[in-house]
Amino acid sequence: MKRHFIKAFAFSCAIAGTAIPAFITEAAPPMADNAVCFYSAFPNGSTENYSTEIASAPRYYVFEEKGKQGLIDSFGKTIIPAANYDKIYNIFKHHIVVKNGKKYGAVNFDGKEVVAPLYERLGCYTKHNFIQVTLKDKYGLFASDGTVILPPEYDYVSVDDNVIKVFSNKKVGVTDLNGKIILPCEFDSILVNDNIIAKKDEKYWQYQINGTLIGETDAPKTPEELLNYKLSNGGQIIKDGKNYNVINADGTPGVSVKADYIARTDNGFYVVNKNKYSFYDSNFNLVNEVKADSFTRLDNGLFAITRKKSGLSLGGLLSTAIAFGTGTPLYPGQVNWMRSNIKTGYLDSTGTEIIPTKNDYNGTFFEGHALVMVKDKFGYVDTAGNYLVPAEFDDISAFSFYDPDVVVVEKDDDFGFYDTKKGLFTSGYTAASNFVNGLAPIAIAENKWGYIDRTGNKVIRPKFDMVTPFFDENAMTKINGYYRIINKTGDTVANLETAEEAGALKNGSAPIKIDGKWGIVADNGSMLVEAVYKDLKIFNDFDSYFYNYQE
């Protein structure tokens, strides 16, 4: 599990008649690579709590028969038989997205088809549980029960709290949430707040939400015009074209700055002028100036910046050469993110660079933490730039959904666990996996697996060839070549002597392979679904990013 080098990878291809020789490239440490792949899938700095939702998500199994896919829940109930759809494409909170050829449809969790697979694209709104579709690049909406709200005849549709905006032929209108027209599609722009302000022929008209005309009104203020430019000392900022001029409280002129735009921070202002970003306090005194190639304000109050590191990146060159030479696109786990020459850093609301771009790698922020690599060592930082886990480990896992304070760390082939509140509290293992429900799988020198608790005590001694986490009260293990279900004291619940393969138990069940076919076994060892399927997979198994099921 120690970081290693791939020495047997060799290739050559011709670029402008020049042969590129074989390279030796560094492989990303496996736990850190999984963490990067997972965190990169979420919006940087989002304040949403994804972990709770993912950890509590029900388990579903996708199976296949005669080229068609079906869906089974964790209790063995068939939701969608393998008869009508080529692919189970996605699962949302209220709908299952199915696919036939290149067309998408939706099925509810009772197995009823609510939208036939006739559409080029299909997405589900969490707001009102609407289903959005496109057909021949025209947008429409369905209710969650399949009732047509808007036929697919609009250039775009946008769902607000109380109304739907519809766009057609560069004009916009409004319908209610049932698709009834409130304002026809004949306005140049529409702003919806407590009322509706609609622009037509350079005039602005105000309507009640139900479409009743209130009368002509002034143009709504732009976001910049709505910005409070008053300063703490009684002065104010006056915009004049691209110049922002400070007028002091006594009426005398103050500083003047040229900028593309200005916006507020938690304790002042920031000014953007090309690739220079200036931060001011609440009296518009300059605090910091930062130069960067890109600049993004995050929901968590930080600012993400990027800078291009000078010099040739071997990892970047290698990745490009692989893609060019083989014609194969590179996916996140294949890209040498450790050696990219585009470096991310983070600023606080005063423009102070709390997480510098000079680090080898700074990851995206996920629920208050970001993975960092400094001088080839891994750790985690919080939104203040403080280390939650010091950057001193050769490899490091993502944070567990089930115990968000602990990560698995590895240094010099020695695995252990680091608690952000207590530090490194146990180590000395040849392999380890994240804590789930108070227990963590660990392996010792003979590659035998057992479990420890949060104090580091071995509550189930290492004797198994393979173990899985205790997502439920029981867990799947393997010993002496046979699969076995055990409880949290290590007692045997069921021996699965005919099983050739088996996965982790979660939500009361696990996939199991018997005589070359797949089925579903319950946590007590009984068969929920007989092993009759050639292929059966857990849908969106996020846990595979964090937990080692391998022998």
Side-chain angles (χ1 to χ4, degrees), residues 450-489:
Y451 297 85
I452 62 169
D453 62 19
R454 283 289 264 107
T455 68
N457 292 326
K458 295 183 178 70
V459 294
I460 301 176
R461 70 180 180 87
K463 62 179 181 179
F464 298 95
D465 303 324
M466 182 276 287
V467 297
T468 62
F470 277 95
F471 295 114
D472 299 331
E473 289 303 307
N474 298 335
M476 186 70 69
T477 65
K478 189 177 184 182
I479 186 169
N480 298 326
Y482 294 99
Y483 286 90
R484 177 187 296 179
I485 297 173
I486 63 171
N487 62 24
K488 287 186 174 181
T489 62

Side-chain angles (χ1 to χ4, degrees), residues 222-536:
T222 66
E224 191 170 61
E225 290 171 332
L226 291 171
L227 178 66
N228 178 9
Y229 285 128
K230 291 185 178 179
L231 306 180
S232 296
N233 59 13
Q236 61 179 326
I237 302 171
I238 304 296
K239 184 185 178 187
D240 180 14
K242 280 200 169 186
N243 291 319
Y244 294 83
N245 306 314
V246 171
I247 305 299
N248 296 321
D250 61 4
T252 59
V255 299
S256 178
V257 297
K258 184 178 181 180
D260 298 326
Y261 67 89
I262 182 173
R264 276 196 174 274
T265 65
D266 294 337
N267 45 21
F269 302 87
Y270 69 92
V271 173
V272 176
N273 188 13
K274 296 183 179 178
N275 67 338
K276 187 174 77 172
Y277 309 96
S278 304
F279 288 78
Y280 294 79
D281 65 16
S282 58
N283 291 324
F284 214 69
N285 297 308
L286 180 64
V287 177
N288 272 311
E289 285 188 331
V290 178
K291 287 187 176 182
D293 297 325
S294 71
F295 179 89
T296 306
R297 188 174 190 173
L298 307 181
D299 289 346
N300 62 7
L302 298 183
F303 296 83
I305 61 170
T306 61
R307 295 188 179 105
K308 188 173 182 178
K309 185 178 179 181
S310 61
L312 180 65
S313 166
L314 178 61
L317 175 60
L318 176 63
S319 298
T320 302
I322 295 171
F324 186 92
T326 64
T328 303
L330 291 171
Y331 298 97
Q334 298 171 277
V335 175
N336 197 344
W337 48 266
M338 297 192 305
R339 302 296 177 230
S340 171
N341 63 350
I342 304 297
K343 301 297 184 181
T344 298
Y346 294 95
L347 314 176
D348 66 13
S349 60
T350 69
T352 301
E353 193 168 340
I354 58 172
I355 305 171
T357 56
K358 68 180 182 181
N359 287 353
D360 297 330
Y361 175 79
N362 294 318
T364 58
F365 268 96
F366 180 86
E367 297 182 355
H369 58 259
L371 176 71
V372 297
M373 184 173 72
V374 182
K375 297 180 180 179
D376 287 344
K377 301 294 182 181
F378 292 96
Y380 280 95
V381 294
D382 63 17
T383 54
N386 300 316
Y387 278 100
L388 294 168
V389 181
E392 59 185 42
F393 299 101
D394 297 333
D395 200 0
I396 195 166
S397 74
F399 280 90
S400 168
F401 293 148
Y402 306 86
D403 193 335
D405 295 325
V406 179
V407 291
V408 181
V409 294
E410 178 260 317
K411 189 174 184 179
D412 297 329
D413 284 340
D414 182 17
F415 284 76
F417 295 86
Y418 194 98
D419 188 313
T420 59
K421 297 181 175 65
K422 300 176 183 178
L424 186 69
F425 65 92
T426 184
S427 60
Y429 310 111
T430 58
S433 193
N434 292 69
F435 274 93
V436 177
N437 295 323
L439 297 179
I442 52 90
I444 59 173
E446 295 80 14
N447 202 30
K448 294 298 182 182
W449 287 83
Y451 297 85
I452 62 169
D453 62 19
R454 283 289 264 107
T455 68
N457 292 326
K458 295 183 178 70
V459 294
I460 301 176
R461 70 180 180 87
K463 62 179 181 179
F464 298 95
D465 303 324
M466 182 276 287
V467 297
T468 62
F470 277 95
F471 295 114
D472 299 331
E473 289 303 307
N474 298 335
M476 186 70 69
T477 65
K478 189 177 184 182
I479 186 169
N480 298 326
Y482 294 99
Y483 286 90
R484 177 187 296 179
I485 297 173
I486 63 171
N487 62 24
K488 287 186 174 181
T489 62
D491 296 330
T492 299
V493 175
N495 286 309
L496 307 175
E497 296 178 354
T498 59
E500 299 165 2
E501 294 181 50
L505 286 161
K506 190 176 183 183
N507 297 140
S509 65
I512 186 170
K513 187 177 184 181
I514 301 172
D515 294 331
K517 301 288 186 179
W518 286 92
I520 301 173
V521 63
D523 57 5
N524 63 3
S526 63
M527 293 298 293
L528 293 172
V529 176
E530 293 301 319
V532 295
Y533 299 110
K534 182 179 179 181
D535 190 27
L536 185 142

